[in-house]
Amino acid sequence: LAALVAGNDVLVCSASLSPEGDAVAQALTVLDLNERERYERYENTAVARRFAVGRLRLREMLAELLAIPPRAVPIQIGVQGKPALARGLQRSGVRFSVAHCDELMLVALSRNGEVGIDVERVRPIERWARVADRVFNPAERAEIGREIAGGDDPSAVLLRFWCRGEAELKAIGSGISGLSAHRDGWHPSGMRVAELPAVPLPSSLESERAQYQAAVALWTPRDTSASRSQAENQARPPRITPTSASTA
């Protein structure tokens, strides 16, 4: 895993959140106090299980990169809810972002800047035009219209643009609170966004035949690329290796 992260701008790993074996019991042995309290507050057992298993898989990935036990990985939550390594380990350069959709979890890992990832299951979106008008800026809305006019499925196009926007907002750590500025056309310098041509699915989910849209953003505000225009940044998407990584 460390070699893959070192060789790419961003590495995307997938994991299943399905109730396999003793995953929940194992997770409860590595969650910290705050995570355990959050797990116990969930009234929906499926949501609680997905959270616990997701944190276990995330901790396993980070533990391998940091060469420490999963239980020792210090995860803190930012003001807008973005998880990150606690300050003492931020000097490691490891940055990550997490996205969930049903039983699928994607994790973006990088040592090259702040990352954001989002994933959505492809499904029909009722009143997609109204959603697009409310969420996207005029330039994006026009591009959505052109792709649909070219024959692409409206729901798939909408979800693809949604994932791109969400990934960007996650990378800068603003979450949904930054949607208004994004809708006004603001994009920070040094931001690169790429769609995943194929979402890496764990073997346990491949049989479900569900299709997903996903996108990854990499933000390097102090890099020399920060002075480039938005068009130049978009023309050079980050190198991304998707992998269905086993974290057992």
Side-chain angles (χ1 to χ4, degrees):
L1 191 64
L4 288 170
V5 171
N8 292 274
D9 288 346
V10 180
L11 179 72
V12 176
C13 299
S14 67
S16 172
L17 303 179
S18 301
E20 301 172 347
D22 61 348
V24 174
Q26 185 181 358
L28 296 180
T29 67
V30 302
L31 299 185
D32 64 23
L33 180 60
N34 291 332
E35 292 168 334
R36 184 64 179 261
E37 291 178 348
R38 180 175 171 182
Y39 166 78
E40 293 175 348
R41 286 198 301 268
Y42 285 118
E43 297 182 359
N44 186 306
T45 57
V47 174
R49 180 253 303 163
R50 289 169 181 167
F51 170 76
V53 176
R55 278 305 167 89
L56 170 65
R57 300 309 179 207
L58 173 63
R59 284 178 168 276
E60 288 173 336
M61 295 175 195
L62 294 173
E64 186 170 344
L65 289 178
L66 299 170
I68 60 177
R71 184 186 298 179
V73 175
I75 297 175
Q76 65 180 14
I77 305 300
V79 176
Q80 301 297 336
K82 181 180 180 180
L85 291 175
R87 187 176 301 274
L89 278 176
Q90 288 184 4
R91 62 180 180 274
S92 69
V94 175
R95 300 293 186 268
F96 65 92
S97 180
V98 180
H100 306 90
C101 184
D102 301 327
E103 301 297 333
L104 174 65
M105 170 183 175
L106 295 184
V107 179
L109 301 164
S110 179
R111 290 184 183 272
N112 297 294
E114 297 292 342
V115 289
I117 188 167
D118 192 53
V119 61
E120 294 284 344
R121 179 175 54 82
V122 177
R123 61 196 187 278
I125 305 295
E126 295 184 4
R127 300 178 180 177
W128 63 265
R130 181 177 298 182
V131 176
D133 291 339
R134 187 174 68 249
V135 173
F136 300 107
N137 63 58
E140 291 174 321
R141 182 64 181 88
E143 189 173 351
I144 289 172
R146 286 192 294 270
E147 294 194 14
I148 293 172
D152 289 350
D153 177 72
S155 296
V157 173
L158 180 73
L159 290 170
R160 187 162 67 245
F161 276 77
W162 175 269
C163 287
R164 290 177 61 92
E166 278 290 295
E168 184 173 317
L169 294 177
K170 284 186 174 183
I172 63 178
S174 70
I176 202 69
S177 65
L179 182 60
S180 178
H182 181 84
R183 187 171 56 240
D184 291 339
W186 177 80
H187 300 271
S189 61
M191 179 70 72
R192 290 183 282 156
V193 184
E195 297 170 8
L196 290 182
V199 176
L201 294 180
S203 58
S204 61
L205 298 181
E206 289 179 345
S207 61
E208 296 183 1
R209 300 185 181 279
Q211 294 183 321
Y212 298 89
Q213 297 280 4
V216 178
L218 176 65
W219 185 36
T220 52
R222 293 179 297 277
D223 191 23
T224 55
S225 63
S227 61
R228 301 179 180 181
S229 68
Q230 176 187 347
E232 290 174 320
N233 283 328
Q234 290 179 339
R236 188 173 65 90
R239 299 190 314 277
I240 298 171
T241 294
T243 176
S244 182
S246 171
T247 58

